[in-house]
Amino acid sequence: MSKQSKYFLAGVMGWPVMHSRSPRIHNYWLELHGIEGHYAPIAVKPDGLEKALRALHPLGFTGVNLTIPLKEAALDVVDRVDPVARQIGAINCIVVHEDGLLEGFNYDAYGFIASLREADSHWKANAGPVVVLGAGGAARAVLAGLIQDGAREIRLVNRTKERATSLALEFGETINVYDWSQRAELLAGAAMLVNTTSMGMLGQPPLDIALDKLERNCLVADIVYVPLETDLLARARRTGNRTVDGLGMLLHQARPAFRHFFGVMPEVTPDVRRLIVSTL
Ligand code: ATR
C-alpha cells in the first residue's frame, strides 16, 4: 500500500499546450522525490478558461500553471491575486486551496532573478545600470524582478517607444526610456543587458544590436531559450562576457510552483537542465 494518502494532480493550461516543457520538468521532479502524482498538459481554449479553472477543485487538482494565451485573462477569474502577479499583469501559477479558493501567482520575475543568481551567486540588480530591450509581457516580468531586487537604473528601449513609455509610467522612476536607435550606445557603463524581445528566437531574425560599447564585465541575458544560445549570447560569449540563457528562467519559475502543488521545493540540477535541453 502507498504511504501517500493522496494522488497529486497538477498541470499546465494553454492553447496550444503540447509545446510546453513544464510537464517534463514537473514529472521529472515527481519521480525524483518519490511523490505519487502527475502533471498534465491541459488544452483549454480562452473561452473555456473560467469553467476549466472552477473544475480544478472538484477534480482534486492542487494547482496549474498557465501559458499563452491564458495568463492575462486568468486575472479576472481567480479569487485572489499575489501583488507581483498583479504588477506583471499576468498569472502563470494558480494554487487551489482546500476550500476551493483560487490564488494566482507569477513566478517569471522570480525565475529570471534566480537564473541570474545561478550564473553568478553574487549578482545584484543594483550593481549598475541595466539595459532592457523590449516592452512586451516578458519585459514586464523582467522589470518587476529587477525592481524588486533593488535595481537603481534601468535603461528601457523598445522598437515601439510608446510601449516602453507606458511601462515606465507604470513601473516608476527607476526606468528611463530611450529610442530604439540608441540601443548600442546605451551599453556604455551598463552592468547588464537583457533581451526580452522575440528577436533571436527560432524562426525570427537575430537581434540587431552592435556590441562594441559592451563592457567586459557586463552580464548578457536572453529570455529566449530556443535556440539555447542565441546569436546575441554567442556574440557576447566571443567578446568574453558572461551570458545567461532563457532556460534558467523557465526552470527556476517551476520551483515555487512545484512546492505549492506537491509540497517539496525542488532544485534546478544539471540533470533536469539536460533533460529539457534534449527536447529543444
Ligand atoms: P511577449 O509577451 O513574449 O514579450 P510581445 O508582447 O509580442 O511578446 O512583445 C514582443 C517584443 O519583441 C516587443 O517588445 C516587440 O517590440 P514592439 O513593441 O515594437 O512590437 C519586440 N519585437 C518583435 N519583433 C521585433 C523586431 N523585428 N525588432 C525589434 N523589436 C521587435
Side-chain angles (χ1 to χ4, degrees):
M1 234 187 59
S2 163
K3 50 184 176 358
Q4 225 179 267
S5 59
K6 156 177 182 171
Y7 188 86
F8 287 93
L9 283 173
V12 53
M13 286 184 184
W15 186 268
V17 76
M18 291 314 288
H19 66 282
S20 171
R21 265 79 183 185
S22 294
R24 299 292 289 263
I25 302 171
H26 285 263
N27 287 318
Y28 170 83
W29 281 333
L30 281 173
E31 202 180 326
L32 184 74
H33 291 282
I35 299 167
E36 286 190 54
H38 190 67
Y39 182 103
I42 309 167
V44 173
K45 286 186 186 164
D47 63 3
L49 178 64
E50 181 155 13
K51 275 194 176 149
L53 290 179
R54 290 296 166 199
L56 291 172
H57 183 247
L59 287 169
F61 275 63
T62 52
V64 283
N65 286 119
L66 295 179
T67 186
I68 292 165
L70 310 175
K71 290 169 140 189
E72 289 83 13
L75 281 169
D76 297 327
V77 178
V78 299
D79 306 302
R80 197 188 293 159
V81 181
D82 174 77
V84 178
R86 178 77 67 198
Q87 185 187 29
I88 297 173
I91 286 171
N92 82 338
C93 173
I94 295 178
V95 175
V96 181
H97 289 278
E98 300 251 313
D99 59 358
L101 183 133
L102 301 176
E103 184 169 11
F105 297 87
N106 191 316
Y107 290 118
D108 285 338
Y110 168 90
F112 175 66
I113 298 296
S115 74
L116 300 175
R117 289 264 153 70
E118 187 189 341
D120 175 357
S121 56
H122 300 296
W123 184 85
K124 288 292 287 173
N126 64 8
V130 181
V131 177
V132 176
L133 306 178
R140 298 181 68 93
V142 164
L143 293 173
L146 290 172
I147 291 168
Q148 205 185 358
D149 207 65
R152 284 198 287 252
E153 183 192 344
I154 297 172
R155 302 171 179 173
L156 183 63
V157 260
N158 191 49
R159 178 181 57 180
T160 313
K161 192 177 181 183
E162 301 80 68
R163 288 185 87 190
T165 307
S166 79
L167 271 188
L169 279 174
E170 219 184 299
F171 282 77
E173 62 210 23
T174 325
I175 301 177
N176 296 309
V177 175
Y178 298 87
D179 288 332
W180 183 242
S181 60
Q182 292 174 283
R183 62 196 181 286
E185 66 201 66
L186 289 174
L187 298 177
M192 182 162 80
L193 165 65
V194 191
N195 174 45
T196 77
T197 75
S198 46
M199 309 297 295
M201 208 179 267
L202 187 73
Q204 299 281 331
L207 178 72
D208 140 44
I209 184 171
L211 297 183
D212 46 308
K213 295 277 195 312
L214 194 68
E215 314 279 348
R216 197 49 27 87
N217 60 358
C218 181
L219 185 62
V220 179
D222 203 325
I223 59 127
V224 170
Y225 63 90
V226 184
L228 199 54
E229 187 174 72
T230 57
D231 174 71
L232 169 68
L233 295 187
R235 286 193 292 139
R237 183 170 52 80
R238 285 200 290 272
T239 57
N241 288 74
R242 283 168 309 146
T243 60
V244 179
D245 62 54
L247 185 56
M249 179 171 172
L250 175 74
L251 292 168
H252 281 279
Q253 64 76 34
R255 296 179 64 226
F258 188 91
R259 182 177 53 188
H260 279 301
F261 304 156
F262 307 114
V264 174
M265 187 68 157
E267 294 301 326
V268 172
T269 57
D271 282 347
V272 68
R273 196 179 156 87
R274 251 192 311 273
L275 175 76
I276 302 309
V277 169
S278 74
T279 72
L280 299 180

